[in-house]
Amino acid sequence: MVLASSGVWGQCGVWGHEGLVATKATLVLASPELREAVEEVLPELRRAGIAVFYLSEASPTAGVEALLPHIEASPEEPPPAGHRAGVTPETKAMYIYTSGTTGLPKAAVITEMKMMMVASLARICGLRPDDVVYTTLPLYHSAGLLVGLGGCLDVGATCVLRSKFSASQFWPDCRRYNVSVIQYVGELMRYLCNTPKRADDRDHGVRMALGNGMRAEVWKEFLRRFGPVVVWEFYGATEGNAGFINYTGKVGAVGRANRFIKLFAPFELIRYNVEQDEPVRDQRGLCIPAKPGETGLLVVKITKNTPFHGYAGDAQKTQKKILRDVLAKGDAFFNSGDLLMMDTERFVYFQDRVGDTFRWKGENVATTEVEATLGLVSFIQEVNVYGVAVPGCEGRCGMAAVRLKDGAAFDGDQLFAFTQDTLPAYAAPRFIRIQEALEVTGTFKQCKNRLVQEGFDPNLIRDRLFLRDAARCSYVPLSAAAFRDIQQGRLLL
């Protein structure tokens, strides 16, 4: 089965129906809003024997059935055991497309065993049969489908689904449906914290929040404003072979390493050369473990307990995610593509994506750290930090796309003074781009690819652009003349 979303299907259209056929899927579930895309590839899907259903009451396309009437007409008793004959833990249950934040989405293989293990995450975190879980995350991705809905099915809890996240309706919904557990991703919690404060902010029955990607400053503000909710932060990837759960409640951490985790899922943080985009190796050709407090690439050993099933129909991309000769010749590890840090108490913290961290002035710049800092500026609602190429300069130069708070104005003097006080000189963004809205995926992950490609050319970008001017101690409008001077090396950054 393939789950198709507007974002994912839009990308699938780029690499076409061949990608779906290559997965050897037999069934595609799609939203009716994807009608044009479905009809475009429907003849090829039919020839490949792939059935397509709309997840709706009625179908606007001839030859494509609506699934909901079939669900409503299905008998209440369990299906015959014969339908499950031959199903093993390693049987492919479904394909879930990755978010596509660093490239085109890939169809990650989800086995029956992995589906059950991920669904049990909520139970491990304390989900009970009498809980009411509220999720606004899309069900075409692993968080909403496997952790949220799957977790409810695992323990018999009630699941409240909302088709689209609404910051203004989030808490009213929680009160209306007696919600006791909420599911989140990091940016979603930031949106809640950015809403105007209300007298009834703590008037709710939510006892637990389960999710991933919440930054420390958002975590603290959420608890201050909305009360003592128990937060279970976890780390994982759709195609990954292991993950972490923050079972201690340590603010900002994604988990804590211990002997059990190391035995069951042998992982390592290894030194990574951001500039060369590859792990650092010693004279033997093996990877070098990162020290406590040092950022490293997370890799997880591929074993019987922690298999990596890869991507359907794409052996090349599957092999690309496998890192070999890590700690010993001949071993194989899953390359998470994520940079994490473990402190002296063995708490683990997410730092950045490999493709997002960049190098400038001989230093590594973690975009998440800069974003967390800039998010404290009074007039900034959202921020997305990335690195852009500058002619004649090594590495990439920092740039930030910013959405201002409603009614707020950009203050270049204030921002310069703030970054001067809070960020190292090499980490302060050289360019600022003001946008009406920041592009995110369906799971609220920020998209950087297009921003990186567009750079800081005022001749191409209609958004307002600002340049960090040390002489004037301010961020000033970036003119076409200043852009030419930068391109020709007359204006140094």
Side-chain angles (χ1 to χ4, degrees), residues 166-180:
S166 168
S168 63
Q169 294 303 308
F170 189 92
W171 293 113
D173 279 350
C174 288
R175 299 183 191 101
R176 184 178 303 115
Y177 300 111
N178 298 314
V179 171
S180 58

mmCIF file with all atom_site columns, all heavy atoms in Angstrom, residues 166-180:
data_model
loop_
_atom_site.group_PDB
_atom_site.id
_atom_site.type_symbol
_atom_site.label_atom_id
_atom_site.label_alt_id
_atom_site.label_comp_id
_atom_site.label_asym_id
_atom_site.label_entity_id
_atom_site.label_seq_id
_atom_site.pdbx_PDB_ins_code
_atom_site.Cartn_x
_atom_site.Cartn_y
_atom_site.Cartn_z
_atom_site.occupancy
_atom_site.B_iso_or_equiv
_atom_site.pdbx_formal_charge
_atom_site.auth_seq_id
_atom_site.auth_comp_id
_atom_site.auth_asym_id
_atom_site.auth_atom_id
_atom_site.pdbx_PDB_model_num
ATOM 1   N N   . SER A 1 166 ? -4.945  23.975 13.420 1.00 0.00 ? 166 SER A N   1
ATOM 2   C CA  . SER A 1 166 ? -5.388  25.354 13.632 1.00 0.00 ? 166 SER A CA  1
ATOM 3   C C   . SER A 1 166 ? -4.951  25.772 15.025 1.00 0.00 ? 166 SER A C   1
ATOM 4   O O   . SER A 1 166 ? -5.401  25.189 16.031 1.00 0.00 ? 166 SER A O   1
ATOM 5   C CB  . SER A 1 166 ? -6.910  25.458 13.508 1.00 0.00 ? 166 SER A CB  1
ATOM 6   O OG  . SER A 1 166 ? -7.362  26.725 13.974 1.00 0.00 ? 166 SER A OG  1
ATOM 7   N N   . ALA A 1 167 ? -4.069  26.758 15.102 1.00 0.00 ? 167 ALA A N   1
ATOM 8   C CA  . ALA A 1 167 ? -3.573  27.221 16.405 1.00 0.00 ? 167 ALA A CA  1
ATOM 9   C C   . ALA A 1 167 ? -4.712  27.814 17.239 1.00 0.00 ? 167 ALA A C   1
ATOM 10  O O   . ALA A 1 167 ? -4.768  27.614 18.459 1.00 0.00 ? 167 ALA A O   1
ATOM 11  C CB  . ALA A 1 167 ? -2.467  28.257 16.207 1.00 0.00 ? 167 ALA A CB  1
ATOM 12  N N   . SER A 1 168 ? -5.627  28.508 16.589 1.00 0.00 ? 168 SER A N   1
ATOM 13  C CA  . SER A 1 168 ? -6.716  29.162 17.330 1.00 0.00 ? 168 SER A CA  1
ATOM 14  C C   . SER A 1 168 ? -7.755  28.163 17.844 1.00 0.00 ? 168 SER A C   1
ATOM 15  O O   . SER A 1 168 ? -8.426  28.416 18.843 1.00 0.00 ? 168 SER A O   1
ATOM 16  C CB  . SER A 1 168 ? -7.400  30.207 16.448 1.00 0.00 ? 168 SER A CB  1
ATOM 17  O OG  . SER A 1 168 ? -7.999  29.598 15.322 1.00 0.00 ? 168 SER A OG  1
ATOM 18  N N   . GLN A 1 169 ? -7.903  27.024 17.164 1.00 0.00 ? 169 GLN A N   1
ATOM 19  C CA  . GLN A 1 169 ? -8.903  26.032 17.552 1.00 0.00 ? 169 GLN A CA  1
ATOM 20  C C   . GLN A 1 169 ? -8.319  24.860 18.327 1.00 0.00 ? 169 GLN A C   1
ATOM 21  O O   . GLN A 1 169 ? -9.062  23.963 18.749 1.00 0.00 ? 169 GLN A O   1
ATOM 22  C CB  . GLN A 1 169 ? -9.623  25.511 16.304 1.00 0.00 ? 169 GLN A CB  1
ATOM 23  C CG  . GLN A 1 169 ? -10.467 26.544 15.595 1.00 0.00 ? 169 GLN A CG  1
ATOM 24  C CD  . GLN A 1 169 ? -11.510 27.146 16.520 1.00 0.00 ? 169 GLN A CD  1
ATOM 25  O OE1 . GLN A 1 169 ? -12.269 26.428 17.164 1.00 0.00 ? 169 GLN A OE1 1
ATOM 26  N NE2 . GLN A 1 169 ? -11.562 28.475 16.587 1.00 0.00 ? 169 GLN A NE2 1
ATOM 27  N N   . PHE A 1 170 ? -7.003  24.851 18.526 1.00 0.00 ? 170 PHE A N   1
ATOM 28  C CA  . PHE A 1 170 ? -6.344  23.707 19.156 1.00 0.00 ? 170 PHE A CA  1
ATOM 29  C C   . PHE A 1 170 ? -6.891  23.453 20.563 1.00 0.00 ? 170 PHE A C   1
ATOM 30  O O   . PHE A 1 170 ? -7.383  22.359 20.877 1.00 0.00 ? 170 PHE A O   1
ATOM 31  C CB  . PHE A 1 170 ? -4.836  23.953 19.216 1.00 0.00 ? 170 PHE A CB  1
ATOM 32  C CG  . PHE A 1 170 ? -4.041  22.754 19.653 1.00 0.00 ? 170 PHE A CG  1
ATOM 33  C CD1 . PHE A 1 170 ? -3.537  21.866 18.720 1.00 0.00 ? 170 PHE A CD1 1
ATOM 34  C CD2 . PHE A 1 170 ? -3.794  22.517 20.995 1.00 0.00 ? 170 PHE A CD2 1
ATOM 35  C CE1 . PHE A 1 170 ? -2.804  20.754 19.122 1.00 0.00 ? 170 PHE A CE1 1
ATOM 36  C CE2 . PHE A 1 170 ? -3.056  21.414 21.418 1.00 0.00 ? 170 PHE A CE2 1
ATOM 37  C CZ  . PHE A 1 170 ? -2.561  20.533 20.470 1.00 0.00 ? 170 PHE A CZ  1
ATOM 38  N N   . TRP A 1 171 ? -6.819  24.455 21.442 1.00 0.00 ? 171 TRP A N   1
ATOM 39  C CA  . TRP A 1 171 ? -7.274  24.259 22.819 1.00 0.00 ? 171 TRP A CA  1
ATOM 40  C C   . TRP A 1 171 ? -8.797  24.163 22.918 1.00 0.00 ? 171 TRP A C   1
ATOM 41  O O   . TRP A 1 171 ? -9.305  23.358 23.725 1.00 0.00 ? 171 TRP A O   1
ATOM 42  C CB  . TRP A 1 171 ? -6.715  25.350 23.716 1.00 0.00 ? 171 TRP A CB  1
ATOM 43  C CG  . TRP A 1 171 ? -5.221  25.248 23.865 1.00 0.00 ? 171 TRP A CG  1
ATOM 44  C CD1 . TRP A 1 171 ? -4.281  26.121 23.412 1.00 0.00 ? 171 TRP A CD1 1
ATOM 45  C CD2 . TRP A 1 171 ? -4.489  24.178 24.485 1.00 0.00 ? 171 TRP A CD2 1
ATOM 46  N NE1 . TRP A 1 171 ? -3.009  25.673 23.706 1.00 0.00 ? 171 TRP A NE1 1
ATOM 47  C CE2 . TRP A 1 171 ? -3.110  24.486 24.375 1.00 0.00 ? 171 TRP A CE2 1
ATOM 48  C CE3 . TRP A 1 171 ? -4.871  22.999 25.119 1.00 0.00 ? 171 TRP A CE3 1
ATOM 49  C CZ2 . TRP A 1 171 ? -2.120  23.646 24.869 1.00 0.00 ? 171 TRP A CZ2 1
ATOM 50  C CZ3 . TRP A 1 171 ? -3.884  22.163 25.626 1.00 0.00 ? 171 TRP A CZ3 1
ATOM 51  C CH2 . TRP A 1 171 ? -2.523  22.481 25.501 1.00 0.00 ? 171 TRP A CH2 1
ATOM 52  N N   . PRO A 1 172 ? -9.575  24.930 22.141 1.00 0.00 ? 172 PRO A N   1
ATOM 53  C CA  . PRO A 1 172 ? -11.030 24.701 22.157 1.00 0.00 ? 172 PRO A CA  1
ATOM 54  C C   . PRO A 1 172 ? -11.400 23.266 21.776 1.00 0.00 ? 172 PRO A C   1
ATOM 55  O O   . PRO A 1 172 ? -12.317 22.677 22.371 1.00 0.00 ? 172 PRO A O   1
ATOM 56  C CB  . PRO A 1 172 ? -11.551 25.714 21.130 1.00 0.00 ? 172 PRO A CB  1
ATOM 57  C CG  . PRO A 1 172 ? -10.569 26.842 21.214 1.00 0.00 ? 172 PRO A CG  1
ATOM 58  C CD  . PRO A 1 172 ? -9.231  26.177 21.405 1.00 0.00 ? 172 PRO A CD  1
ATOM 59  N N   . ASP A 1 173 ? -10.680 22.698 20.802 1.00 0.00 ? 173 ASP A N   1
ATOM 60  C CA  . ASP A 1 173 ? -10.915 21.292 20.435 1.00 0.00 ? 173 ASP A CA  1
ATOM 61  C C   . ASP A 1 173 ? -10.604 20.369 21.606 1.00 0.00 ? 173 ASP A C   1
ATOM 62  O O   . ASP A 1 173 ? -11.332 19.407 21.873 1.00 0.00 ? 173 ASP A O   1
ATOM 63  C CB  . ASP A 1 173 ? -10.055 20.905 19.235 1.00 0.00 ? 173 ASP A CB  1
ATOM 64  C CG  . ASP A 1 173 ? -10.648 21.349 17.910 1.00 0.00 ? 173 ASP A CG  1
ATOM 65  O OD1 . ASP A 1 173 ? -11.818 21.782 17.907 1.00 0.00 ? 173 ASP A OD1 1
ATOM 66  O OD2 . ASP A 1 173 ? -9.946  21.261 16.889 1.00 0.00 ? 173 ASP A OD2 1
ATOM 67  N N   . CYS A 1 174 ? -9.476  20.657 22.286 1.00 0.00 ? 174 CYS A N   1
ATOM 68  C CA  . CYS A 1 174 ? -9.075  19.809 23.417 1.00 0.00 ? 174 CYS A CA  1
ATOM 69  C C   . CYS A 1 174 ? -10.142 19.828 24.512 1.00 0.00 ? 174 CYS A C   1
ATOM 70  O O   . CYS A 1 174 ? -10.422 18.799 25.145 1.00 0.00 ? 174 CYS A O   1
ATOM 71  C CB  . CYS A 1 174 ? -7.730  20.264 23.983 1.00 0.00 ? 174 CYS A CB  1
ATOM 72  S SG  . CYS A 1 174 ? -6.309  19.885 22.919 1.00 0.00 ? 174 CYS A SG  1
ATOM 73  N N   . ARG A 1 175 ? -10.752 20.986 24.737 1.00 0.00 ? 175 ARG A N   1
ATOM 74  C CA  . ARG A 1 175 ? -11.807 21.071 25.750 1.00 0.00 ? 175 ARG A CA  1
ATOM 75  C C   . ARG A 1 175 ? -13.083 20.376 25.261 1.00 0.00 ? 175 ARG A C   1
ATOM 76  O O   . ARG A 1 175 ? -13.749 19.667 26.022 1.00 0.00 ? 175 ARG A O   1
ATOM 77  C CB  . ARG A 1 175 ? -12.106 22.543 26.069 1.00 0.00 ? 175 ARG A CB  1
ATOM 78  C CG  . ARG A 1 175 ? -10.899 23.299 26.638 1.00 0.00 ? 175 ARG A CG  1
ATOM 79  C CD  . ARG A 1 175 ? -11.263 24.741 26.998 1.00 0.00 ? 175 ARG A CD  1
ATOM 80  N NE  . ARG A 1 175 ? -10.056 25.513 27.278 1.00 0.00 ? 175 ARG A NE  1
ATOM 81  C CZ  . ARG A 1 175 ? -9.480  26.358 26.433 1.00 0.00 ? 175 ARG A CZ  1
ATOM 82  N NH1 . ARG A 1 175 ? -10.032 26.571 25.233 1.00 0.00 ? 175 ARG A NH1 1
ATOM 83  N NH2 . ARG A 1 175 ? -8.378  27.003 26.762 1.00 0.00 ? 175 ARG A NH2 1
ATOM 84  N N   . ARG A 1 176 ? -13.415 20.580 23.995 1.00 0.00 ? 176 ARG A N   1
ATOM 85  C CA  . ARG A 1 176 ? -14.659 20.035 23.430 1.00 0.00 ? 176 ARG A CA  1
ATOM 86  C C   . ARG A 1 176 ? -14.658 18.503 23.465 1.00 0.00 ? 176 ARG A C   1
ATOM 87  O O   . ARG A 1 176 ? -15.683 17.881 23.758 1.00 0.00 ? 176 ARG A O   1
ATOM 88  C CB  . ARG A 1 176 ? -14.831 20.529 22.000 1.00 0.00 ? 176 ARG A CB  1
ATOM 89  C CG  . ARG A 1 176 ? -16.134 20.099 21.332 1.00 0.00 ? 176 ARG A CG  1
ATOM 90  C CD  . ARG A 1 176 ? -16.249 20.659 19.932 1.00 0.00 ? 176 ARG A CD  1
ATOM 91  N NE  . ARG A 1 176 ? -16.145 22.110 19.912 1.00 0.00 ? 176 ARG A NE  1
ATOM 92  C CZ  . ARG A 1 176 ? -15.159 22.790 19.323 1.00 0.00 ? 176 ARG A CZ  1
ATOM 93  N NH1 . ARG A 1 176 ? -14.188 22.147 18.687 1.00 0.00 ? 176 ARG A NH1 1
ATOM 94  N NH2 . ARG A 1 176 ? -15.138 24.107 19.354 1.00 0.00 ? 176 ARG A NH2 1
ATOM 95  N N   . TYR A 1 177 ? -13.515 17.889 23.191 1.00 0.00 ? 177 TYR A N   1
ATOM 96  C CA  . TYR A 1 177 ? -13.452 16.433 23.096 1.00 0.00 ? 177 TYR A CA  1
ATOM 97  C C   . TYR A 1 177 ? -12.792 15.766 24.303 1.00 0.00 ? 177 TYR A C   1
ATOM 98  O O   . TYR A 1 177 ? -12.445 14.583 24.243 1.00 0.00 ? 177 TYR A O   1
ATOM 99  C CB  . TYR A 1 177 ? -12.711 16.041 21.813 1.00 0.00 ? 177 TYR A CB  1
ATOM 100 C CG  . TYR A 1 177 ? -13.387 16.556 20.565 1.00 0.00 ? 177 TYR A CG  1
ATOM 101 C CD1 . TYR A 1 177 ? -12.794 17.565 19.795 1.00 0.00 ? 177 TYR A CD1 1
ATOM 102 C CD2 . TYR A 1 177 ? -14.622 16.067 20.164 1.00 0.00 ? 177 TYR A CD2 1
ATOM 103 C CE1 . TYR A 1 177 ? -13.420 18.054 18.657 1.00 0.00 ? 177 TYR A CE1 1
ATOM 104 C CE2 . TYR A 1 177 ? -15.256 16.546 19.035 1.00 0.00 ? 177 TYR A CE2 1
ATOM 105 C CZ  . TYR A 1 177 ? -14.651 17.547 18.282 1.00 0.00 ? 177 TYR A CZ  1
ATOM 106 O OH  . TYR A 1 177 ? -15.277 18.024 17.156 1.00 0.00 ? 177 TYR A OH  1
ATOM 107 N N   . ASN A 1 178 ? -12.592 16.533 25.380 1.00 0.00 ? 178 ASN A N   1
ATOM 108 C CA  . ASN A 1 178 ? -12.004 15.985 26.605 1.00 0.00 ? 178 ASN A CA  1
ATOM 109 C C   . ASN A 1 178 ? -10.663 15.294 26.333 1.00 0.00 ? 178 ASN A C   1
ATOM 110 O O   . ASN A 1 178 ? -10.407 14.177 26.797 1.00 0.00 ? 178 ASN A O   1
ATOM 111 C CB  . ASN A 1 178 ? -12.973 14.998 27.271 1.00 0.00 ? 178 ASN A CB  1
ATOM 112 C CG  . ASN A 1 178 ? -14.273 15.650 27.691 1.00 0.00 ? 178 ASN A CG  1
ATOM 113 O OD1 . ASN A 1 178 ? -14.267 16.733 28.276 1.00 0.00 ? 178 ASN A OD1 1
ATOM 114 N ND2 . ASN A 1 178 ? -15.394 15.019 27.370 1.00 0.00 ? 178 ASN A ND2 1
ATOM 115 N N   . VAL A 1 179 ? -9.817  15.973 25.601 1.00 0.00 ? 179 VAL A N   1
ATOM 116 C CA  . VAL A 1 179 ? -8.527  15.412 25.203 1.00 0.00 ? 179 VAL A CA  1
ATOM 117 C C   . VAL A 1 179 ? -7.595  15.329 26.405 1.00 0.00 ? 179 VAL A C   1
ATOM 118 O O   . VAL A 1 179 ? -7.484  16.275 27.193 1.00 0.00 ? 179 VAL A O   1
ATOM 119 C CB  . VAL A 1 179 ? -7.893  16.281 24.093 1.00 0.00 ? 179 VAL A CB  1
ATOM 120 C CG1 . VAL A 1 179 ? -6.461  15.852 23.809 1.00 0.00 ? 179 VAL A CG1 1
ATOM 121 C CG2 . VAL A 1 179 ? -8.749  16.202 22.830 1.00 0.00 ? 179 VAL A CG2 1
ATOM 122 N N   . SER A 1 180 ? -6.910  14.194 26.528 1.00 0.00 ? 180 SER A N   1
ATOM 123 C CA  . SER A 1 180 ? -5.937  14.015 27.608 1.00 0.00 ? 180 SER A CA  1
ATOM 124 C C   . SER A 1 180 ? -4.506  13.896 27.104 1.00 0.00 ? 180 SER A C   1
ATOM 125 O O   . SER A 1 180 ? -3.565  14.075 27.867 1.00 0.00 ? 180 SER A O   1
ATOM 126 C CB  . SER A 1 180 ? -6.293  12.769 28.436 1.00 0.00 ? 180 SER A CB  1
ATOM 127 O OG  . SER A 1 180 ? -6.326  11.613 27.619 1.00 0.00 ? 180 SER A OG  1
#
